[in-house]
Amino acid sequence: MTHGLLTHDALDPQDALTGPIHHRTYLINGELRTWKGGVADVHSPITTLVNGVQEPVHLGSAPDLTKAEGLEALAAARQAYDNGRGDWATAPAAERIAAMEKFIDRMVEQRELVVKLLMWEICKRKKDAVKEFTRTVDYLRETIIEYKQLHREGSHIHNVEGTLAQIRRGPLGVVLCLGPFNYPLNETFCVLLPAILMGNTAVFKPAKYGVLLITPLLEAFRDCFPPGVINVVFGRGRELAAPIMQSGHVDVLALIGNSKSSNALISQHPKPNRVRQVLGLEAKNPAIILPDADLDLAVQQCVSGAWSFNGQRCTALKVIYVHKYVRAEFLEKFAAATDRLRAGLPFADSDITPLPEKGKVEAMQAYVDEAVEKGAKVINEKGGQTEGAIFFPAILFPVSRATAIFREEQFGPVCPVIEFEDIEEVMADIAESDYGQQASVFSQNPEAMGRVIDQLVNQVCRVNLNASCQRGPDALPFTGRKDSAVATLSVRAALRSFSIRTLVACSEGRKDMLEGVVSGRHSTFSSMDYLL
Ligand code: G3H
């Protein structure tokens, strides 16, 4: 196996960081405040030789803020929102769009450093790091287009049984935004910025890993949005997010992560019914390989589906069901294709890179050990080889249903394979599962495919035909059932998720008032201006 141990000779100078980043500011109420308290060191999953010993590369440090700063950030967001009467919540759409456009331009200026930090902090391989940045910028630009469309739709007056009504989508209030480490830029910004564009205000805490890569964008947040609209704090979730929820002043929890964290946070809010939840959570997406599948295609899709970014995607294939007639051939091909993956550093666009989470290699090993103890084998030669924080993908077969790897979201490079004879066995597992995001089905028979589609569409929220699971294109609805999601995300759906319909109505017989308000341009809401 190639390895992930860094030698400085191997590093192209353009990928090198100029030195550690000791970041000390955080954003509250439009001010970048300097933090003089405790800090958290940031290390890369990549190691380097220090006095003959392999040590994680020290990337720098970031503020470890306390409850007090978290609550100050919340107070600033509340003040800016001012119960929906604040300048941002009531601003004309064109003003919010202008702020967002300015932000996107400023964000693009930081592309090179953010991409570099995506590689160093979470070991996302270069082409995927570039893609994460570009995809996010595209998403934000598309969001503006959709927002204009929503605004135009809100400029109509409806006449419903003699009642004239103008319906627009309005903001919900203060959003607490918490993102994941696997897409620390994309998944966070794809909730934070639509929420802001709809007129909400926010407290945003970056994920546990992928913290420094947010820091080059703080000045842009400060310069592009009015004070208090976006507040950015650094530190531990327990210290910052829990007291913010306990205050009872959060109107929306936007969290991409795990249902344990979201449940714990929601339960701390004194009035949980008041909190709108926008959650992208864990999944256990199955691949189902029917006896007539094109096995080469299934293998190619299972390799990318299970192992891209080391399986650290909520949409990754996390269990593979293969029909007994093709099981042996599939496993042989899947094992060979997996073993051809290149492990190494993100800069070299390696397929498999070091895992950022502490203890993750051990956690992957524990899944393997338990499955092996209960009868499984690692069927690919390189499966489970480790070096530093690299864990080479391990395919397990046959896997008992009484194992953790069968039940839990592994979020890493281990995948169980289960043989089936009757599709009912697969459907029963999916029905029992705590998750319901997506599934992939491989078959060349339209009749068989049709039957499986009809059984799956009410269990998951996307059925991928002869393809691995994925979120994109971003205009498509992205959601899940059970513990996999709450609310729907897509360019358009995110704007809806962070807003509520509100209307101004009058009877047709008393329309003079509305006419007066509109023609006199006395209201931002009751206006018929079309945004072009
Ligand atoms: O981690 C979950 C992401 O939303 C998955 O997105 O399918 O584009 O990798 P992706």
Side-chain angles (χ1 to χ4, degrees):
M1 165 179 164
T2 54
H3 58 67
L5 303 181
L6 177 70
T7 61
H8 282 289
D9 296 342
L11 186 64
D12 185 328
Q14 64 170 358
D15 298 325
L17 290 168
T18 45
I21 299 173
H22 291 295
H23 183 82
R24 289 296 175 268
T25 60
Y26 57 106
L27 181 63
I28 291 187
N29 206 22
E31 282 169 37
L32 279 176
R33 301 189 183 167
T34 302
W35 177 241
K36 299 209 167 65
V39 297
D41 277 311
V42 180
H43 288 101
S44 175
I46 298 166
T47 56
T48 191
L49 213 52
V50 178
N51 301 327
V53 182
Q54 288 292 338
E55 301 271 4
V57 175
H58 186 224
L59 298 176
S61 54
D64 190 13
L65 300 177
T66 69
K67 175 179 167 178
E69 293 72 46
L71 291 176
E72 275 179 63
L74 175 66
R78 284 189 73 205
Q79 193 189 341
Y81 190 66
D82 192 16
N83 294 307
R85 291 179 303 152
D87 290 348
W88 183 253
T90 54
E95 211 173 295
R96 291 200 209 128
I97 290 170
M100 178 95 149
E101 282 171 339
K102 189 170 158 198
F103 176 77
I104 297 171
D105 290 345
R106 291 282 300 272
M107 178 179 166
V108 169
E109 290 168 14
Q110 300 299 328
R111 177 179 183 272
E112 196 186 324
L113 181 55
V114 174
V115 165
K116 233 187 248 188
L117 285 166
L118 275 166
M119 293 191 281
W120 280 100
E121 281 192 274
I122 60 162
C123 278
K124 186 157 278 194
R125 64 179 176 175
K126 196 172 197 166
K127 65 178 172 204
D128 292 340
V130 170
K131 189 167 152 205
E132 178 162 351
F133 194 95
T134 314
R135 179 180 178 183
T136 308
V137 168
D138 291 348
Y139 189 104
L140 299 183
R141 293 207 166 111
E142 291 292 318
T143 296
I144 293 176
I145 295 171
E146 278 300 338
Y147 177 64
K148 284 186 182 169
Q149 183 55 30
L150 265 186
H151 190 271
R152 284 182 206 126
E153 287 165 18
S155 295
H156 293 300
I157 303 276
H158 304 263
N159 187 339
V160 184
E161 297 170 23
T163 297
L164 300 180
Q166 181 170 22
I167 310 165
R168 286 198 191 278
R169 299 200 74 93
L172 294 161
V174 173
V175 181
L176 175 61
C177 178
L178 305 168
F181 84 83
N182 65 332
Y183 279 94
L185 182 78
N186 180 265
E187 295 222 74
T188 318
F189 280 30
C190 293
V191 286
L192 176 66
L193 287 149
I196 295 300
L197 193 59
M198 289 312 297
N200 301 285
T201 62
V203 176
F204 158 42
K205 189 195 88 62
K208 191 167 173 192
Y209 306 98
V211 175
L212 293 178
L213 64 90
I214 299 296
T215 63
L217 302 167
L218 284 193
E219 287 183 5
F221 278 133
R222 179 197 59 191
D223 298 345
C224 301
F225 296 101
V229 169
I230 296 187
N231 304 277
V232 186
V233 288
F234 299 96
R236 285 156 297 156
R238 214 167 284 167
E239 180 71 24
L240 297 171
I244 289 177
M245 288 303 282
Q246 285 158 9
S247 72
H249 296 309
V250 168
D251 302 297
V252 187
L253 176 65
L255 179 148
I256 310 296
N258 189 278
S259 60
K260 280 198 195 98
S261 324
S262 63
N263 286 339
L265 283 170
I266 290 291
S267 69
Q268 302 200 43
H269 195 289
K271 293 195 174 167
N273 57 299
R274 285 200 189 175
V275 187
R276 165 86 58 101
Q277 301 179 41
V278 181
L279 312 174
L281 304 171
E282 66 269 29
K284 190 83 185 172
N285 293 346
I288 304 168
I289 299 163
L290 298 182
D292 48 22
D294 171 341
L295 285 190
D296 292 327
L297 175 67
V299 164
Q300 179 217 33
Q301 291 295 308
C302 285
V303 166
S304 63
W307 309 133
S308 325
F309 195 31
N310 314 303
Q312 301 167 122
R313 293 162 58 235
C314 59
T315 47
L317 292 175
K318 295 189 178 113
V319 54
I320 297 176
Y321 291 92
V322 56
H323 193 273
K324 70 183 274 199
Y325 291 162
V326 289
R327 191 262 300 159
E329 188 184 345
F330 170 79
L331 276 186
E332 193 186 320
K333 290 183 167 174
F334 185 39
T338 297
D339 280 348
R340 281 196 293 274
L341 295 176
R342 282 178 317 118
L345 296 182
F347 318 110
D349 271 336
S350 306
D351 306 300
I352 301 300
T353 56
L355 304 171
E357 289 176 286
K358 286 208 170 59
K360 194 64 179 262
V361 167
E362 293 76 7
M364 293 297 108
Q365 190 59 52
Y367 280 127
V368 171
D369 291 346
E370 191 214 5
V372 167
E373 207 173 285
K374 293 183 175 160
K377 284 197 173 69
V378 175
I379 57 115
N380 56 320
E381 213 178 303
K382 293 190 192 170
Q385 288 181 5
T386 61
E387 186 153 354
I390 287 184
F391 187 96
F392 198 88
I395 304 166
L396 291 167
F397 180 82
V399 175
S400 154
R401 286 174 167 81
T403 54
I405 191 66
F406 172 73
R407 280 188 317 275
E408 294 173 7
E409 181 193 56
Q410 60 271 45
F411 212 72
V414 176
C415 189
V417 178
I418 315 251
E419 179 184 290
F420 71 93
E421 189 169 0
D422 182 346
I423 192 74
E424 280 309 313
E425 301 160 45
V426 182
M427 293 304 159
D429 282 352
I430 294 173
E432 282 280 303
S433 164
D434 282 332
Y435 309 111
Q437 191 198 63
Q438 300 191 13
S440 293
V441 188
F442 295 91
S443 171
Q444 296 185 94
N445 176 343
E447 198 186 323
M449 187 66 101
R451 274 198 304 271
V452 176
I453 290 174
D454 288 350
Q455 296 193 50
L456 281 175
V457 282
N458 294 341
Q459 305 257 32
V460 298
C461 286
R462 174 164 164 170
V463 179
N464 299 280
L465 310 186
N466 292 315
S468 61
C469 299
Q470 61 170 338
R471 175 175 174 158
D474 287 326
L476 295 178
F478 179 55
T479 186
R481 299 168 188 267
K482 303 182 194 165
D483 289 342
S484 286
V486 178
T488 301
L489 295 173
S490 73
V491 174
R492 186 173 174 83
L495 293 171
R496 298 175 69 92
S497 294
F498 287 103
S499 59
I500 188 164
R501 272 166 299 178
T502 179
L503 54 123
V504 169
C506 66
S507 72
E508 206 178 354
R510 299 207 185 102
K511 65 181 179 186
D512 296 2
M513 175 56 76
L514 187 55
E515 273 173 354
V517 171
V518 173
S519 61
R521 308 181 75 82
H522 296 304
S523 163
T524 308
F525 185 102
S526 293
S527 133
M528 283 173 205
D529 286 350
Y530 271 77
L531 272 176
L532 299 174

